[in-house]
Amino acid sequence: MTKGSFRRSGLEWFSSLPACLLLLSVVLFSTSSDIHNQMLRGGEQLWSGYYKLRMDPVAPTCNADRDIDAAVAQELAQKPADDDPMAMLLGAQEKDPADVRLAIERSVADCKAAYQSYDSLQDKLTPGVKAYRAVELFVADLIAFGLESQRYILVLLVMLCAATATLTRHHIAMRAMETRLDYTVSLTLQTIANAMLLGSSLIFRQSSLGTETAVSSDDLLLHNFWVVGFASLTLASLYRLVRVPAGLAPGGQLNKAFLAVPLYTVMCLISGSYFALIGHTSGIGIYLGKMVELADMFLNVGLYVWVGMMLKQTRLATLVFNLFRPWRMPPELLAVVAVLVAAVPTAYTGASGIFVIAAGAVIYSELRAAGARRQLALAATAMSGSLGVVLRPCLLVVVIAYLNREVTTDDLFGWGIWVFVLTAAMFSAVALTVNRQSKFNLAPASEALPATLKALRSLIPYALVIVGVVLLYRFALDVRMDEFSAPRLLPVIMLSILVYEHISFKNKKGSATGEINHQGLERSVRGATNDTTAEIGALLLLLGLSVSIGGVIERSQIMEAFPQAFDSAWSAMLLMVMILVILGMIMDAFGAVILVTATVASIAYSSGIHPIHFWMVTLVAFELGYLSPPVALNHLLTRQVVGEAEVLAAQQEGGTFYQRHERIIMPLIAMGISLVLVAFVPLMFYA
């Protein structure tokens, strides 16, 4: 969870530069399809019938000067072959000379038309057309190559970033490595888990080669990528195990040491042991292969992480907080504002955890600067990404609609607005009523409003940059900003903002704005990509092993112990809520959605629960699970971005039981009440 010396050694570009190139290639390949569509339209507008000019016309082989009379006579003189019964039968009837002549005349006419078309196309093949066609066909080939390469890009990205996360000790765990025992236990189990992944991939490769069905060269190459990747990951963890860093406290306690084991390691050991016991040692490799089947979705997750890290490098979050600072809001109200405002960028970063990683540090520092107690600031930071997952264009909702034909993105986002209003109201009520310790003495509007308007002017250039990129895509490529185009538009938007800041601060030299520590474009992109590599490695490896845990649940037939349909939708909903919250506690969102689609969803539908209602409940239940012990993923990510020292300081603060555990209890109350309302109130109207 902490950054090792590898990150500070100046060698980070050895991992982040390839990761940056891979992510840029994903954006390029996805954007090239839009460019190609516009090139086809442009070619058709410039040269009518351009689609026929994309390939060199082939000269006809027929005879346009054929003697019709001679051909008719020859056809009438022909007799059926002796060995052709059908021809003998047809030949028993006399051929009508008029029909034969008509057929031959049509054939000659078609031949002449083919020659005319060929000559016309030849005349249209000007040097300009050939040059345009060469570029257009190159883009088409680039798209085809990109589509074929998605699987390999994903595997390379996962393995490269996972090795980086291992070397930098950045995997997600219940607690950080503080002692030598923590380090030894964690790295030993990581090495065992990585070796287990390597072994499963090797066995899966050999079993695929041993089947009667021939394995394609592409599939074999993919198997080799997994094997080499996990071998590298095993060596990375083994290297880290041998090279113990300085600064670790001696000794340690075994029970705490196990909490420092990364979550992906725990999932790997559980699923690997289970598959070994049932004689299915290639199980982990098979379920990791499901990531490849949805390569575009997982690559979009990587792009969203990159977008979040680039957002972290900009001043956007600070400038947004500057709008509210003149009002001198009490900490509780500012926490509410922060969580509500964070809902929009959360929707554009794909998942609550990604936003916590991206902007959690800024939110926490701003709340602390406003006088918020640590527990309140940690609670708001952990929950800052929880409300926006139901808003357009959240990737998680798109994945749900992609995997489930019973719902559409329009339906889910339409009802998601109401769920957002409910959860926002619940959080506001809890934050402003339960254990409120501050007085509401807002600054006068006559004093605060001018300062807010002045702060708003600083955001105008950013808004212009965003609008400019969106309009460029809209009119140049005919691409609208929506849930499907967001993964490829957002990286371009964030890179444009970084370019703007680089030019702006370089011209002003930081004196006018006080931004004297601006790093410049290259360092900003490098810093964002450095953080991205570690986060992608931790997140996607966790996600992949979540899919494997889902396979354990699926193969163990746990769900078959439950009825496949309930007589009462109320009873079914009660069970669904409990299952979904537990899944949210132990699994990543995307892996959990895949598992729920394959198991729980059909039971809910059969029990009379409306599909849209079920998935709204699922999203809220997942968010409650991410905020619930023992794992509480969003709290782990909060600790990762604000630092272990701040969390320890918060735990040492006194007060009532609620005050000492506010960072855990307050989100649970807000999301728990919201979940109960979302789950059971709609049943009153249709169940």
Side-chain angles (χ1 to χ4, degrees), residues 165-206:
T166 300
L167 292 172
T168 60
R169 293 182 289 151
H170 208 82
H171 284 295
I172 302 170
M174 298 290 290
R175 60 185 294 270
M177 303 177 199
E178 298 175 354
T179 66
R180 287 183 175 271
L181 182 61
D182 295 343
Y183 187 88
T184 302
V185 171
S186 178
L187 267 299
T188 299
L189 293 180
Q190 283 185 58
T191 304
I192 294 173
N194 294 335
M196 190 177 290
L197 291 170
L198 173 60
S200 180
S201 298
L202 279 170
I203 294 172
F204 183 34
R205 179 183 182 277
Q206 292 305 116

Side-chain angles (χ1 to χ4, degrees), residues 40-94:
L40 289 176
R41 293 178 185 176
E44 190 64 30
Q45 291 175 356
L46 292 173
W47 303 282
S48 178
Y50 171 76
Y51 69 95
K52 294 181 179 179
L53 301 174
R54 298 183 70 235
M55 303 297 294
D56 288 332
V58 179
T61 58
C62 60
N63 184 8
D65 298 325
R66 188 178 181 187
D67 188 334
I68 296 178
D69 292 333
V72 171
Q74 182 181 1
E75 183 67 25
L76 293 175
Q78 285 183 352
K79 294 182 178 181
D82 295 338
D83 58 348
D84 189 350
M86 183 61 67
M88 292 291 292
L89 179 63
L90 295 175
Q93 300 178 358
E94 291 293 333

Side-chain angles (χ1 to χ4, degrees), residues 7 83 110 270 313-314 342 411 416 420 425 439 494 680:
R7 293 290 294 278
D83 58 348
D110 291 341
I270 293 174
Q313 293 291 326
T314 69
D411 293 333
F420 166 72
K439 295 182 179 180
M494 295 310 304
F680 295 103

Side-chain angles (χ1 to χ4, degrees), residues 558-566 568-585 592 595-611 613-622 624-625 675-676 678-680 683 686:
I558 294 176
M559 296 309 302
E560 293 187 5
F562 299 96
Q564 296 305 301
F566 288 78
S568 170
W570 294 82
S571 301
M573 181 58 76
L574 181 60
L575 178 64
M576 295 297 108
V577 166
M578 292 188 293
I579 292 176
L580 294 172
V581 172
I582 293 174
L583 289 178
M585 290 180 182
L595 176 62
V596 169
T597 299
T599 56
V600 181
S602 59
I603 300 177
Y605 303 157
S606 301
S607 302
I609 299 175
H610 195 282
H613 181 201
F614 170 75
W615 285 109
M616 287 293 103
V617 172
T618 300
L619 290 171
V620 179
F622 282 175
L624 178 59
L675 177 59
V676 171
V678 171
F680 295 103
L683 291 179
Y686 74 85

Side-chain angles (χ1 to χ4, degrees), residues 39 43 46-47 50 53 123-136:
M39 292 188 71
L46 292 173
W47 303 282
Y50 171 76
L53 301 174
D123 293 338
K124 290 182 178 179
L125 277 177
T126 62
V129 172
K130 292 181 179 180
Y132 187 90
R133 183 182 66 178
V135 177
E136 181 261 310

